Amino acid sequence: MTYVYVLKSLSRKYHYVGLTDNPARRIDDHNKGYNKTTKPYAPFELVLLEEYPDRISARKREKFLKTGKSSSNFVKRFKN
């Protein structure tokens, strides 16, 4: 299984969309500052976790959430 997840920064107005096969480990990595992109925005809370049968399906969903109108609508939905 592959998961698409969205994190919301608890310290700043920032959302991160990613995919992983191990959500607990990945979210822990973000909160510990192991990811260069998200380190300045830690700590995070999980606001969305979706399960997909394969990486291709998960990647399509991740790209959808990261781009265009879906991205701005998503941010409004989970605004700080």
Side-chain angles (χ1 to χ4, degrees):
M1 289 293 156
T2 304
Y3 300 86
V4 173
Y5 63 95
V6 178
L7 301 177
K8 176 182 167 185
S9 172
L10 297 175
S11 61
R12 297 164 78 180
K13 289 186 178 183
Y14 178 79
H15 288 81
Y16 181 81
V17 179
L19 63 90
T20 185
D21 60 351
N22 186 338
R25 177 195 48 82
R26 190 70 180 121
I27 294 163
D28 191 49
D29 287 352
H30 285 293
N31 279 319
K32 288 181 177 176
Y34 295 162
N35 183 294
K36 187 170 90 170
T37 304
T38 60
K39 185 176 183 176
Y41 305 100
F44 293 95
E45 72 175 345
L46 181 67
V47 294
L48 179 71
L49 182 65
E50 299 176 340
E51 184 179 314
Y52 292 89
D54 55 60
R55 189 169 178 84
I56 294 169
S57 302
R59 180 68 178 127
K60 285 180 185 177
R61 177 65 170 160
E62 179 194 30
K63 283 181 84 171
F64 175 77
L65 290 174
K66 284 184 173 182
T67 59
K69 199 176 240 186
S70 66
S71 178
S72 62
N73 287 338
F74 185 81
V75 170
K76 287 177 192 172
R77 185 172 157 201
F78 292 105
K79 212 170 191 170
N80 288 339

